[in-house]
Amino acid sequence: MKLKNDWPKYYKKDVVSHYCPGCGHGIVHRIVAELLEEMQVGERAICVNPAGCAVLAYLYFDIDMLESAHGRGTAMATGIKRARPDLFVFTYQGDGDLSAIGTAETIHSANRGEHITVIFINNAVYGMTGGQMAPTTLIGQETTTSPLGRNPALEGYPLHITDLVATFRGVIYAERVSLDGPAGVTRTKKAIRNAFQTQIDGLGYSIVEILSACPTNWKMSPVDSFSWIKNEMTREYTPGVLTDKRGDKK
Amino acid sequence: MNKVFISGNHAFAEAAIRAGCSCYFGYPITPQNELGEYMANHLVNNGGVFLQSESETAAINMVIGASSTGARVMTSSSSPGISLKQEGISFLAGFELPAVIVNVMRGGPGLGNIAPAQGDYFQATRGGGHGDYRTPVLAPGSVQEIADLTFEAFSIADRYRTPVMILGDGMMGQMKEPVVFPDFVKDLPEKEWALKGRGTGKSRYMASLILDPLEMERHNWKLMRKYGEIEKNEVRYESFMTDDADIIVIAYGTAARIAKGAIKRARGDGIRAGLIRPITLWPFPKKVLLDFASHISRFIVFEMSTGQMLEDVQLAIAGKAEIAFHGRPGGVIPTPAEFARYIYRENQKLKK
Ligand SMILES: Cc1ncc(C[n+]2csc(CCOP(=O)(O)OP(=O)(O)O)c2C)c(N)n1
Ligand code: SF4
C-alpha cells in the first residue's frame, strides 16, 4: 500500500524547519509542495519568496526560487512572467510584505492581471521582526507596537486587501481561507489548487489569502491559535471565494 | 548601417534593442521620457517586452525578475526616480544579476528641475544603495557614444554579472546628432546560472540574505575581487589635446563637450590646455591623472555640480598637483566662453 503522506517531491529532504511549532507557514509549505507535484508544474515553477518569516523558504521548496526585497515580490514575479511566459510563477508573501510596504506592487500587479499566483499568509502581525502591528491586525489586538490594542482612531482599521483586489477586472480568482485545523488544511489546499489551475489554464491573476497562525507572537498555544483564527480572525476576514471569473474567461 | 539623425534618449533605446535587450521596465520622468516611449514602439515590434510600471521601485524589481531568467534588461529614469531604484540596484549587486540602468540626470536635490545637471555623481559612483558594492558607471559624451556605450554596458553587465549604470544628463538625452548604430547582436550565449524552472535537474535559488557573518564576508570579498577585475580591465577615458598641455581639464559628459570648446578658444590664444574625459566614472581613470601629475602642476575639474568628481581627482592625484574647480550646478548650462575665461585665470596663476 502506498502511504498517503509520502514526502512531497518538491520539498527538500534533510532540512530542519525554522518555523515555530504550530506556525501556519509550515503547513502551507507542505500544501504548496504537494500541489506542485500533483499538478505537475514543479519543473517549470519559480517561487518568489518574501522578506518575512518565509525569507528562508528556498531552504524547503525544491524548485527554482528568487528571494525578494520586502514587499516587491509581485513586481519581481511580473518581470519573470513577462520575460518567460512559459514558466509557472507564484509569490509567497506575508501581510506586512504584501499589504503594507508592497501595497502598490500588489495592487498594480493584480490590476494588470499578471498571469501569476499570490499565496498570501495573513497572520495579523509582523512575525519575523517580533510581532509588531500589521495593516491586518485586528481592532483591539495587542502587539508590540500597539501595546494597548489596535485603536482605529489612531491606527486605522484592518486592511482587507484581498477583498479590494477581488473587485479588479484583471483578478480572475481570489479566495480567503482559514487555516484553523484539519478541515482548514483541506480548504486551503482546494483554494490553492483553484488558484494554480487559473494560471495553468492561462486565465490570469489568482490570489489566496490564508488566515494563518503565529502562536509565538500571539503568545498562545497552537491549539488556542487555531481557536483564535476560527473565533476572532474570521469575524473580521470572512472566508470564502471573493471572486471567480474563470467561467467568463473560458 | 547608414547614419541616422537621432536624439540621445532614442539612441539609448535603439542601441539597447540592437544589443539584444528583450525587456524594458520604466516609469515616466522628464527629461528621459522619449526613451521609454521609443521602447513602447520599437522594442515591442522587435518581439520584446515593454511595461510601464507603477513606480521606479516596481520597475527595478521587474528588472530583477526578468534578469534572473537570463534576459538582457534595461530600465531608465532621471535623478529622483534613480533614488527610488537604489534598493533594487543593491539587490542586483548582491544577487550578481546583470542589468543596464540609464540615469538622464537633472537638477536637484528634491524634485529640482528638468534641466541638465551632474549632481548624481556621488550616488552613481559610490554604490548609491546600501551595502558593500560598486556599480560600473559609463558617461557618454555624444549621441554616437550613447549608442556605443549602451552596447558596452550590456556586455560589461553580462561579463561580470553586475548592474551597470549609464550616466547621462538632460542635454545628452535631448540633443540630436548623427549616429551609426552597431549591428543587431545575434545569438547571445545561454546564461548557465539563470532561473528557468528546475526541469529534471537540480533546483536553484537566488537569495541575498546571508545570515552567517563569515559567509557574508566571503560573499563581500568575492564581489570585491570581481570589482578589482573591473578596475583592472574596464577603465576608459579620452585624451584631448593633452600631448603638450600645461593645464589639464577633467570633465565628463556634457561638461566635457563645453570644456572642449573652451580649450579650443584658449589654444587660439596660445594657452596649452588639454582635457581628460573619463568615460568610466567607476572605475575612475586614476592612473592617467597620476601620471600627468608628475609633470603638470595645474588641473582644473569642471562639472555641472558643486564638485563631486572633484573628490575622485583629488584621490587620484594624491596631493601631487594643484586642483582648481569650476562648477555650475542646478541645471545651468555653462558656455565655452565662460569656461575659457576660467582657464585664462588659472593660466595667469600658473605664470606667477
Ligand atoms: C525595506 C525593509 N524594511 C523592513 C524590513 C524588515 N522586515 C523584514 S520582514 C518584516 C515584516 C514581516 O511581516 P509579514 O510580511 O507579515 O510576514 P511574517 O513574518 O509575519 O510571515 C519587516 C518589517 C526589511 N527587510 N526591508
Ligand atoms: S514568528 Fe510567527 S509567523 Fe514566524 S515562524 Fe514563528 S509562528 Fe511562524
Side-chain angles (χ1 to χ4, degrees):
Chain A
M1 192 185 87
K2 192 166 155 27
L3 279 176
K4 231 188 158 179
N5 56 350
D6 266 348
W7 197 269
K9 182 174 171 194
Y10 297 113
Y11 200 87
K12 286 178 185 165
K13 294 203 173 85
D14 305 323
V15 285
V16 180
S17 170
H18 77 281
Y19 295 116
C20 309
C23 174
H25 278 302
I27 308 171
V28 179
H29 276 29
R30 162 102 201 189
I31 293 170
V32 169
E34 286 179 358
L35 285 172
L36 288 169
E37 184 175 357
E38 289 168 22
M39 302 178 83
Q40 300 181 343
V41 285
E43 290 189 2
R44 60 181 179 96
I46 296 190
C47 171
V48 180
N49 71 296
C53 279
V55 69
L56 293 171
Y58 50 78
L59 295 182
Y60 311 124
F61 287 120
D62 207 358
I63 57 172
D64 277 7
M65 305 272 299
L66 178 63
E67 174 194 277
S68 89
H70 192 25
R72 313 295 170 219
T74 50
M76 290 188 177
T78 297
I80 297 170
K81 189 74 181 187
R82 294 281 181 134
R84 288 287 309 272
D86 54 317
L87 295 177
F88 179 83
V89 183
F90 67 101
T91 68
Y92 184 106
Q93 302 176 262
D95 44 342
D97 192 81
L98 179 143
S99 73
I101 194 167
T103 309
E105 285 79 2
T106 300
I107 286 183
H108 286 281
S109 59
N111 192 50
R112 286 191 304 266
E114 295 295 338
H115 287 221
I116 60 173
T117 304
V118 174
I119 313 267
F120 169 24
I121 306 293
N122 179 358
N123 58 18
V125 286
Y126 284 16
M128 187 190 209
T129 42
Q132 295 85 2
M133 190 183 71
T136 46
T137 296
L138 302 191
I139 295 166
Q141 187 185 340
E142 290 173 20
T143 71
T144 58
T145 50
S146 58
L148 303 177
R150 181 177 189 164
N151 174 358
L154 297 175
E155 285 126 4
Y157 293 89
L159 182 61
H160 290 226
I161 198 159
T162 315
D163 297 272
L164 176 67
V165 300
T167 65
F168 299 169
R169 278 184 279 176
V171 172
I172 305 304
Y173 190 83
E175 182 170 354
R176 181 185 293 119
V177 290
S178 65
L179 185 46
D180 54 14
V185 172
T186 312
R187 280 194 300 271
T188 303
K189 187 162 179 181
K190 188 161 162 275
I192 298 179
R193 184 189 294 280
N194 286 342
F196 278 1
Q197 194 63 48
T198 302
Q199 184 178 166
I200 292 167
D201 292 343
L203 301 180
Y205 182 99
S206 51
I207 178 168
V208 178
E209 173 179 340
I210 298 137
L211 307 180
S212 167
C214 176
T216 301
N217 286 305
W218 295 355
K219 302 186 171 55
M220 290 178 200
S221 71
V223 174
D224 289 348
S225 298
F226 281 169
S227 308
W228 195 76
I229 295 175
K230 199 174 281 174
N231 301 326
E232 304 296 329
M233 274 190 97
T234 57
R235 276 206 293 189
E236 178 68 45
Y237 301 107
T238 314
V241 175
L242 305 175
T243 191
D244 184 356
K245 309 185 184 88
R246 290 176 298 171
D248 317 347
K249 275 268 173 178
K250 273 182 179 157
Chain B
M1 186 197 163
N2 294 333
K3 248 184 201 170
V4 291
F5 194 59
I6 191 168
S7 75
N9 283 334
H10 285 173
F12 278 120
E14 177 63 29
I17 294 168
R18 286 165 175 270
C21 170
S22 61
C23 298
Y24 171 93
F25 306 97
Y27 186 84
I29 181 168
T30 310
Q32 62 80 57
N33 294 315
E34 300 79 10
L35 202 171
E37 288 163 357
Y38 192 96
M39 288 295 199
N41 277 307
H42 295 82
L43 181 57
V44 173
N45 291 343
N46 266 280
V49 173
F50 166 85
L51 182 58
Q52 181 174 319
S53 60
E54 62 271 29
S55 68
E56 289 85 353
T57 308
I60 194 74
N61 284 283
M62 292 171 185
V63 166
I64 295 174
S67 175
S68 75
T69 71
R72 280 195 160 179
V73 196
M74 174 183 263
T75 184
S76 66
S77 189
S78 178
S79 309
I82 295 291
S83 294
L84 279 183
K85 289 188 199 291
Q86 292 299 340
E87 180 198 43
I89 297 174
S90 165
F91 274 75
L92 285 164
F95 285 139
E96 296 194 77
L97 282 176
V100 174
I101 301 127
V102 175
N103 180 2
V104 181
M105 285 185 285
R106 59 190 236 176
L111 273 182
N113 57 31
I114 56 171
Q118 296 183 323
D120 304 348
Y121 183 96
F122 282 152
Q123 186 199 49
T125 58
R126 298 304 189 264
H130 60 284
D132 219 343
Y133 75 98
R134 311 285 188 275
T135 316
V137 182
L138 308 177
S142 66
V143 181
Q144 179 65 57
E145 209 173 47
I146 284 177
D148 298 339
L149 290 183
T150 299
F151 255 69
E152 274 300 295
F154 277 105
S155 74
I156 292 173
D158 278 354
R159 197 170 335 131
Y160 298 98
R161 290 184 56 185
T162 176
V164 174
M165 181 169 283
I166 311 181
L167 196 63
D169 60 57
M171 179 80 96
M172 282 287 139
Q174 298 292 328
M175 73 185 181
K176 282 188 168 184
E177 285 185 325
V179 174
V180 180
F181 282 100
D183 284 337
F184 279 88
V185 166
K186 287 193 201 79
D187 303 327
L188 286 165
E190 177 100 357
K191 289 172 182 166
E192 270 308 302
W193 47 262
L195 300 179
K196 302 171 176 134
R198 61 173 286 182
T200 49
K202 272 183 124 167
S203 66
R204 41 183 140 188
Y205 63 83
M206 287 184 192
S208 66
L209 180 85
I210 304 176
L211 287 172
D212 175 7
L214 280 176
E215 210 184 307
M216 187 75 224
E217 186 190 36
R218 270 198 295 281
H219 184 57
N220 286 136
W221 286 123
K222 176 180 168 235
L223 292 179
M224 208 53 219
R225 282 192 294 280
K226 175 168 87 177
Y227 301 138
E229 283 297 303
I230 297 174
E231 286 193 275
K232 204 166 78 199
N233 303 332
E234 305 300 338
V235 173
R236 290 167 177 69
Y237 61 88
E238 180 200 3
S239 304
F240 175 77
M241 299 188 158
T242 54
D243 287 352
D244 61 344
D246 301 322
I247 295 178
I248 297 270
V249 175
I250 301 124
Y252 70 95
T254 293
R257 292 174 73 103
I258 298 164
K260 281 184 183 173
I263 286 166
K264 282 185 206 152
R265 278 168 188 257
R267 288 232 165 216
D269 293 324
I271 298 173
R272 292 203 300 255
L275 171 76
I276 293 291
R277 176 174 72 89
I279 296 172
T280 50
L281 302 180
W282 191 88
F284 193 72
K286 290 186 249 184
K287 189 175 170 308
V288 60
L289 294 182
L290 188 61
D291 290 348
F292 274 119
S294 68
H295 60 279
I296 283 179
S297 59
R298 196 148 218 97
F299 291 80
I300 304 173
V301 176
F302 176 43
E303 293 179 70
M304 286 155 68
S305 77
T306 52
Q308 299 194 11
M309 182 177 65
L310 174 62
E311 291 192 4
D312 273 336
V313 176
Q314 286 166 336
L315 284 169
I317 286 175
K320 294 199 170 56
E322 281 215 42
I323 304 168
F325 174 72
H326 185 62
R328 296 300 302 267
V332 173
I333 304 165
T335 62
E338 165 192 336
F339 186 54
R341 280 197 297 280
Y342 191 83
I343 298 176
Y344 295 145
R345 271 210 302 281
E346 288 304 307
N347 188 55
Q348 284 301 323
K349 289 185 201 161
L350 200 60
K351 283 191 193 139
K352 275 177 201 158

